Amino acid sequence: MKGFGLMPPVVDAVAGEARALRTDDPRYPARLRDLSHPPDPIHLRGAWDHDGLVVAIVGSRNVAADGCEMARRMAADLAREGVAVVSGLATGIDASAHQGALDGGGRTGAVLGTPLDRCYPREHAALQHAVAASLGIMSELPPGAHGTRGTFPTRNRIIAALAHAVLVVQAGERSGALHTVEAAERLGRPVGAMPWHADDLYGALPHRLIREHRAVLVRN
């Protein structure tokens, strides 16, 4: 499958009017200007007005139930401390992090690999609505464009830029979460990783990052 153009439109399912901001617009998210090539324009929906700390929680799509539960719990705990959570609205760790922040009564925002008027995966339409009504959703793709497999890894640099720190919960060695980590490293954002059992397939990337001193070990 080359693209994701058949995803259902969700124009009426998300809060607020979409807007496109150029880098010279004073309303442009300031932290995105730290990127060597910031998205110009960036397409936004929602408030995106959190002035406090922001943590990105990332990981693989196909992970174990304990990974999703840990992501949800970590996000909920951060939310209760007034920290906003950002992620990519994908299945697995991303969706669990968004839901955890909402459960904790906090704010969460998502960077999509699709345009704002589309939802992928389609079963996340209600979650996308809730996230848009919380902190907001954003994409570098204009409405009507087609998301592709390549647009999902490239959006990870935006997730890293928005955050003050990145936390890797569960991910395989070749997970797209590594793109977020590498972007965070280039930007000077600190990275944390959660330890798992030595033989846990989805503990591979966190273990590697800790072993190579690229991430601090995070338990809670």
Side-chain angles (χ1 to χ4, degrees):
M1 183 167 60
K2 295 182 179 180
F4 299 86
L6 298 181
M7 293 175 295
V10 291
V11 175
D12 297 326
V14 291
E17 292 295 325
R19 57 202 186 277
L21 302 180
R22 306 303 298 251
T23 54
D24 59 357
D25 191 309
R27 298 170 298 167
Y28 189 88
R31 295 180 67 80
L32 295 188
R33 295 193 181 98
D34 292 345
L35 292 166
S36 57
H37 296 92
D40 189 16
I42 187 73
H43 301 270
L44 305 174
R45 192 186 296 272
W48 285 106
D49 59 351
H50 186 75
D51 293 328
L53 292 174
V54 178
V55 170
I57 297 181
V58 298
S60 292
R61 289 175 169 81
N62 301 312
V63 293
D66 58 353
C68 290
E69 174 57 24
M70 184 57 72
R72 188 203 63 76
R73 189 187 311 167
M74 289 290 294
D77 288 346
L78 286 168
R80 293 186 188 102
E81 296 296 326
V83 179
V85 173
V86 296
S87 197
L89 207 74
T91 302
I93 297 300
D94 289 12
S96 299
H98 291 305
Q99 190 61 58
L102 294 169
D103 293 344
R107 307 186 75 188
T108 183
V111 183
L112 309 183
T114 60
L116 301 183
D117 59 353
R118 296 286 166 172
C119 181
Y120 182 82
R122 66 179 61 205
E123 59 266 24
H124 283 179
L127 181 59
Q128 183 166 317
H129 174 91
V131 172
S134 178
L135 185 57
I137 56 177
M138 70 170 61
S139 174
E140 57 187 325
L141 297 176
H146 295 291
T148 67
R149 296 192 188 282
T151 60
F152 287 85
T154 58
R155 60 89 188 270
N156 291 346
R157 78 192 195 285
I158 301 175
I159 294 175
L162 289 170
H164 292 88
V166 172
L167 173 63
V168 182
V169 177
Q170 250 188 2
E173 281 276 8
R174 298 185 179 182
S175 167
L178 183 57
H179 295 117
T180 313
V181 169
E182 292 170 342
E185 290 173 330
R186 290 192 294 269
L187 293 164
R189 311 286 199 255
V191 176
M194 306 199 74
W196 296 92
H197 300 298
D199 59 351
D200 191 324
L201 175 64
Y202 292 107
L205 181 59
H207 285 175
R208 172 185 164 191
L209 295 173
I210 294 168
R211 184 176 65 251
E212 295 177 352
H213 305 288
R214 297 169 65 184
V216 297
L217 188 152
V218 175
R219 292 187 183 276
N220 53 49

